[in-house]
Amino acid sequence: MKFNLVTLFPEFFDSPLSHGLISKAVEKGIVSFNKVDPREFTTDRHKSVDARPYGGGPGMVMFLDPIVKSLDSVGIKPAREGGCPEGKRLIMLSPKGRPLTQKLAVELSKEEELTLVCGRYEGIDARFEDIFPVELVSVGDFVLNGGEAGAMCLIEAVARLLPDFMGHADSGTEESFSSGLLEYPHYTRPPQYDGLDVPKVLSSGNHALIEEWRKKESLDATLEARPELLSEAEGLKKDDVRYLRTIPRKRLGKNLYMALVHYPVLNKFGEKAAVSLTNLDIHDMSRVSRSYSISGFYAVTPIEDQKKLADRIISHWTSGPGSKTNPDRAAALSKVSVKDSLLDVVEHIESETGKKPILVTTSARGAGNTTSGQVRELLYDSPVLLVFGTGHGLAPEILEMAAGCLRPIRFMDGYNHLSVRSAVAITVDRLLGDAW
Ligand SMILES: C[S@@+](CC[C@H](N)C(=O)[O-])C[C@H]1O[C@@H](n2cnc3c(N)ncnc32)[C@H](O)[C@@H]1O
């Protein structure tokens, strides 16, 4: 595979490309590198490659013309003149790009030629992206001084997937991310170091046991560091899932409490009102509470007949006939308690945990002032009471009690009218689900 490196600092690559497996791959002809310096294509005495940005602001912006000529020298034309010939791809390293993942590396390893454009300063004149069929690739949510370090990451990730690059054909397929999981740990001699033994199974000679141990270690490592990978991991088997369920988890849910307020809320005229509780809300919110191991769910209403109704629903499933026919439902409904007011809820949580919960309200309106990430942070060391409203939303006196209001779920869309049950499920998954 051929890499064209368009860079103002060609010598940046000298050391990384002349060591280890990459240099061997160059010797064996598996990869080749062609460095192209846009400065060579400048026409003025100072070989200028950049200028101040239009509109002002800090830094310098790279000129387009030397880049166009650099690309022309490797056979890449502007899109209107044919763009990239078959088998070639034009990539610019950019923090705005598609993330560099193992999947993308596998995809790129199938190409014949990659041209990597490395920006410097504030980057290249934006018209570059209008003129050329260029794909942007980011190596992470941080800003580097230039594209060269990112290009090196991409080169290493792609080159090591090429046939014969690594001595051992399996090395690439066994590694982190190739199966969607993080890799198991490796050990080598000596068998004991500073009192630490190598796990016995690895010297047992029993390959089936070693494979099973490695799989479990891999699942452990992924669950611990990157649980969101598990939801996307292809080829997870029933036994893997069974095993994952036996691993104790850090439960952020144990600090989370929810309240569904039926009074005081607003009616459609914006007046303070009470809303009837519904069997559906009680059921669905308690099932969410149980599924995500939330510590408690409170239905708030001061109205006597509503409280009686709630008690009837709850006791039917927790101790009445429903508990016998459906014990799962009993487990969920045992999460619900009914309270007269939000203050009673706060007192109850404080009496159980010894700490006053931090109140976070939810609303379908406005921009909110709290993100899910901020609430997740709070959950690490404090009880958090997430407050949901009924009717036309929570009354101002409830909003005033809260430390923050969560950003609405579909805040960028005009239509945002979810049922409270759906909003609860989505919000809780954003806070406690593995994919966030
Ligand atoms: C100082 S940065 C310019 C950053 C630019 N002002 C911005 O905020 O997006 C200079 C160059 O470094 C490269 N670069 C910086 N961070 C990167 C990242 N996370 N992934 C890939 N390339 C990056 C890009 O080529 C970029 O043009």
Short mmCIF file of all heavy atoms in Angstrom, two decimals, residues 62 92-97 117-124 137-151, ligand 1:
data_model
loop_
_atom_site.label_atom_id
_atom_site.label_comp_id
_atom_site.label_asym_id
_atom_site.label_seq_id
_atom_site.Cartn_x
_atom_site.Cartn_y
_atom_site.Cartn_z
N MET A 62 -3.71 27.93 6.14
CA MET A 62 -2.87 27.45 5.03
C MET A 62 -3.51 27.77 3.67
O MET A 62 -4.72 27.56 3.48
CB MET A 62 -2.62 25.94 5.16
CG MET A 62 -1.63 25.60 6.28
SD MET A 62 -1.52 23.83 6.61
CE MET A 62 -0.74 23.25 5.12
N MET A 92 -8.08 14.00 5.00
CA MET A 92 -7.42 15.07 5.76
C MET A 92 -7.65 14.80 7.25
O MET A 92 -8.77 14.53 7.68
CB MET A 92 -7.98 16.45 5.42
CG MET A 92 -7.37 17.52 6.30
SD MET A 92 -7.63 19.20 5.71
CE MET A 92 -9.36 19.43 6.01
N LEU A 93 -6.57 14.86 8.02
CA LEU A 93 -6.70 14.70 9.47
C LEU A 93 -7.33 15.97 10.01
O LEU A 93 -6.87 17.07 9.69
CB LEU A 93 -5.32 14.47 10.09
CG LEU A 93 -4.72 13.06 9.98
CD1 LEU A 93 -5.65 12.04 10.65
CD2 LEU A 93 -4.39 12.65 8.57
N SER A 94 -8.39 15.81 10.78
CA SER A 94 -9.10 16.99 11.28
C SER A 94 -9.89 16.64 12.53
O SER A 94 -10.51 15.58 12.59
CB SER A 94 -10.08 17.49 10.21
OG SER A 94 -11.00 18.37 10.79
N PRO A 95 -9.91 17.54 13.53
CA PRO A 95 -10.74 17.25 14.71
C PRO A 95 -12.23 17.20 14.37
O PRO A 95 -13.04 16.71 15.15
CB PRO A 95 -10.44 18.40 15.68
CG PRO A 95 -9.53 19.34 15.00
CD PRO A 95 -9.17 18.80 13.65
N LYS A 96 -12.59 17.70 13.17
CA LYS A 96 -14.01 17.68 12.78
C LYS A 96 -14.40 16.38 12.08
O LYS A 96 -15.53 16.23 11.62
CB LYS A 96 -14.29 18.85 11.83
CG LYS A 96 -14.28 20.18 12.53
CD LYS A 96 -14.71 21.29 11.60
CE LYS A 96 -13.56 21.73 10.73
NZ LYS A 96 -13.82 22.82 9.83
N GLY A 97 -13.41 15.46 11.94
CA GLY A 97 -13.65 14.30 11.10
C GLY A 97 -14.38 13.15 11.75
O GLY A 97 -14.71 13.17 12.93
N VAL A 117 -3.56 14.32 4.17
CA VAL A 117 -3.21 15.75 4.20
C VAL A 117 -3.16 16.19 5.66
O VAL A 117 -4.12 15.99 6.41
CB VAL A 117 -4.25 16.58 3.41
CG1 VAL A 117 -3.91 18.07 3.49
CG2 VAL A 117 -4.31 16.12 1.97
N CYS A 118 -2.01 16.75 6.05
CA CYS A 118 -1.82 17.16 7.44
C CYS A 118 -1.92 18.68 7.53
O CYS A 118 -1.09 19.39 6.96
CB CYS A 118 -0.44 16.72 7.93
SG CYS A 118 -0.15 14.97 7.70
N GLY A 119 -2.93 19.14 8.25
CA GLY A 119 -3.05 20.59 8.45
C GLY A 119 -2.07 21.05 9.51
O GLY A 119 -1.56 20.26 10.30
N ARG A 120 -1.82 22.34 9.52
CA ARG A 120 -1.04 23.00 10.57
C ARG A 120 -1.71 24.31 10.88
O ARG A 120 -2.59 24.76 10.13
CB ARG A 120 0.40 23.25 10.12
CG ARG A 120 1.29 22.04 10.26
CD ARG A 120 1.94 21.97 11.64
NE ARG A 120 2.30 20.61 11.99
CZ ARG A 120 2.90 20.29 13.13
NH1 ARG A 120 3.22 21.21 14.01
NH2 ARG A 120 3.16 19.03 13.41
N TYR A 121 -1.31 25.00 11.91
CA TYR A 121 -1.85 26.31 12.29
C TYR A 121 -3.36 26.18 12.50
O TYR A 121 -3.80 25.25 13.16
CB TYR A 121 -1.47 27.37 11.24
CG TYR A 121 -0.04 27.17 10.74
CD1 TYR A 121 0.24 26.99 9.40
CD2 TYR A 121 1.01 27.09 11.66
CE1 TYR A 121 1.55 26.76 8.97
CE2 TYR A 121 2.32 26.85 11.23
CZ TYR A 121 2.58 26.69 9.89
OH TYR A 121 3.85 26.43 9.48
N GLU A 122 -4.19 27.05 11.89
CA GLU A 122 -5.64 26.93 12.06
C GLU A 122 -6.25 25.96 11.04
O GLU A 122 -7.47 25.84 10.95
CB GLU A 122 -6.32 28.30 11.95
CG GLU A 122 -6.05 29.22 13.13
CD GLU A 122 -6.34 28.57 14.48
OE1 GLU A 122 -7.38 27.91 14.62
OE2 GLU A 122 -5.49 28.71 15.38
N GLY A 123 -5.41 25.31 10.28
CA GLY A 123 -5.91 24.39 9.26
C GLY A 123 -5.81 25.00 7.87
O GLY A 123 -5.20 26.06 7.67
N ILE A 124 -6.44 24.30 6.90
CA ILE A 124 -6.35 24.70 5.49
C ILE A 124 -7.59 25.53 5.12
O ILE A 124 -8.70 25.26 5.65
CB ILE A 124 -6.26 23.44 4.61
CG1 ILE A 124 -4.99 22.67 5.01
CG2 ILE A 124 -6.25 23.76 3.11
CD1 ILE A 124 -4.86 21.30 4.42
N VAL A 137 -10.85 12.78 8.88
CA VAL A 137 -10.71 11.75 9.92
C VAL A 137 -10.10 12.39 11.16
O VAL A 137 -9.09 13.09 11.07
CB VAL A 137 -9.84 10.57 9.43
CG1 VAL A 137 -9.56 9.59 10.58
CG2 VAL A 137 -10.53 9.84 8.28
N SER A 138 -10.73 12.10 12.31
CA SER A 138 -10.23 12.63 13.59
C SER A 138 -9.64 11.49 14.40
O SER A 138 -10.15 10.38 14.38
CB SER A 138 -11.39 13.25 14.36
OG SER A 138 -11.02 13.46 15.70
N VAL A 139 -8.57 11.79 15.13
CA VAL A 139 -8.02 10.74 16.00
C VAL A 139 -8.50 10.93 17.44
O VAL A 139 -8.06 10.20 18.33
CB VAL A 139 -6.47 10.66 15.93
CG1 VAL A 139 -6.03 10.17 14.57
CG2 VAL A 139 -5.81 12.00 16.27
N GLY A 140 -9.40 11.85 17.69
CA GLY A 140 -9.94 11.98 19.04
C GLY A 140 -10.45 13.38 19.30
O GLY A 140 -10.16 14.31 18.55
N ASP A 141 -11.20 13.52 20.38
CA ASP A 141 -11.78 14.82 20.72
C ASP A 141 -10.78 15.68 21.48
O ASP A 141 -10.95 15.95 22.67
CB ASP A 141 -13.06 14.63 21.54
CG ASP A 141 -14.18 14.07 20.69
OD1 ASP A 141 -14.05 14.11 19.45
OD2 ASP A 141 -15.17 13.58 21.25
N PHE A 142 -9.72 16.04 20.80
CA PHE A 142 -8.71 16.93 21.36
C PHE A 142 -8.04 17.59 20.16
O PHE A 142 -8.23 17.16 19.03
CB PHE A 142 -7.68 16.17 22.20
CG PHE A 142 -7.24 14.88 21.57
CD1 PHE A 142 -6.32 14.88 20.52
CD2 PHE A 142 -7.75 13.66 21.99
CE1 PHE A 142 -5.91 13.70 19.93
CE2 PHE A 142 -7.35 12.47 21.39
CZ PHE A 142 -6.43 12.50 20.36
N VAL A 143 -7.26 18.64 20.42
CA VAL A 143 -6.64 19.36 19.30
C VAL A 143 -5.12 19.18 19.35
O VAL A 143 -4.49 19.43 20.38
CB VAL A 143 -7.02 20.85 19.33
CG1 VAL A 143 -6.35 21.60 18.20
CG2 VAL A 143 -8.53 20.99 19.20
N LEU A 144 -4.60 18.71 18.23
CA LEU A 144 -3.15 18.55 18.08
C LEU A 144 -2.59 19.78 17.39
O LEU A 144 -3.33 20.57 16.81
CB LEU A 144 -2.86 17.32 17.22
CG LEU A 144 -3.37 15.98 17.75
CD1 LEU A 144 -3.36 14.93 16.65
CD2 LEU A 144 -2.51 15.54 18.92
N ASN A 145 -1.26 19.91 17.41
CA ASN A 145 -0.64 21.04 16.71
C ASN A 145 -0.73 20.89 15.20
O ASN A 145 -0.67 21.86 14.46
CB ASN A 145 0.85 21.15 17.07
CG ASN A 145 1.00 21.69 18.47
OD1 ASN A 145 0.11 22.36 18.97
ND2 ASN A 145 2.12 21.38 19.09
N GLY A 146 -0.77 19.64 14.77
CA GLY A 146 -0.80 19.41 13.32
C GLY A 146 -1.30 18.02 13.03
O GLY A 146 -1.41 17.18 13.94
N GLY A 147 -1.59 17.74 11.76
CA GLY A 147 -2.15 16.45 11.38
C GLY A 147 -1.14 15.31 11.38
O GLY A 147 -1.54 14.14 11.27
N GLU A 148 0.15 15.62 11.51
CA GLU A 148 1.18 14.59 11.36
C GLU A 148 1.04 13.47 12.39
O GLU A 148 1.13 12.28 12.05
CB GLU A 148 2.59 15.19 11.44
CG GLU A 148 3.00 16.02 10.22
CD GLU A 148 2.37 17.42 10.21
OE1 GLU A 148 1.71 17.80 11.20
OE2 GLU A 148 2.53 18.14 9.21
N ALA A 149 0.83 13.84 13.68
CA ALA A 149 0.73 12.82 14.73
C ALA A 149 -0.51 11.95 14.48
O ALA A 149 -0.48 10.72 14.65
CB ALA A 149 0.67 13.46 16.11
N GLY A 150 -1.60 12.59 14.03
CA GLY A 150 -2.81 11.84 13.71
C GLY A 150 -2.58 10.93 12.51
O GLY A 150 -3.03 9.78 12.49
N ALA A 151 -1.86 11.45 11.51
CA ALA A 151 -1.57 10.63 10.32
C ALA A 151 -0.77 9.40 10.72
O ALA A 151 -1.00 8.29 10.22
CB ALA A 151 -0.79 11.46 9.29
C1 LIG B 1 -4.07 23.37 15.61
S1 LIG B 1 -4.98 22.27 14.64
C2 LIG B 1 -6.27 23.28 14.01
C3 LIG B 1 -7.47 23.14 14.84
C4 LIG B 1 -8.67 23.93 14.31
N1 LIG B 1 -8.53 25.30 14.63
C5 LIG B 1 -9.92 23.37 14.98
O1 LIG B 1 -10.26 23.81 16.08
O2 LIG B 1 -10.52 22.43 14.43
C6 LIG B 1 -3.98 22.03 13.21
C7 LIG B 1 -4.21 20.75 12.49
O3 LIG B 1 -3.96 19.64 13.34
C8 LIG B 1 -4.68 18.51 12.89
N2 LIG B 1 -5.44 18.00 14.04
C9 LIG B 1 -5.58 18.62 15.24
N3 LIG B 1 -6.31 17.87 16.08
C10 LIG B 1 -6.64 16.75 15.42
C11 LIG B 1 -7.41 15.60 15.76
N4 LIG B 1 -7.98 15.46 16.94
N5 LIG B 1 -7.55 14.63 14.82
C12 LIG B 1 -6.98 14.76 13.61
N6 LIG B 1 -6.26 15.84 13.23
C13 LIG B 1 -6.08 16.82 14.12
C14 LIG B 1 -5.55 18.97 11.75
O4 LIG B 1 -4.91 18.59 10.54
C15 LIG B 1 -5.57 20.48 11.94
O5 LIG B 1 -5.78 21.15 10.73
#
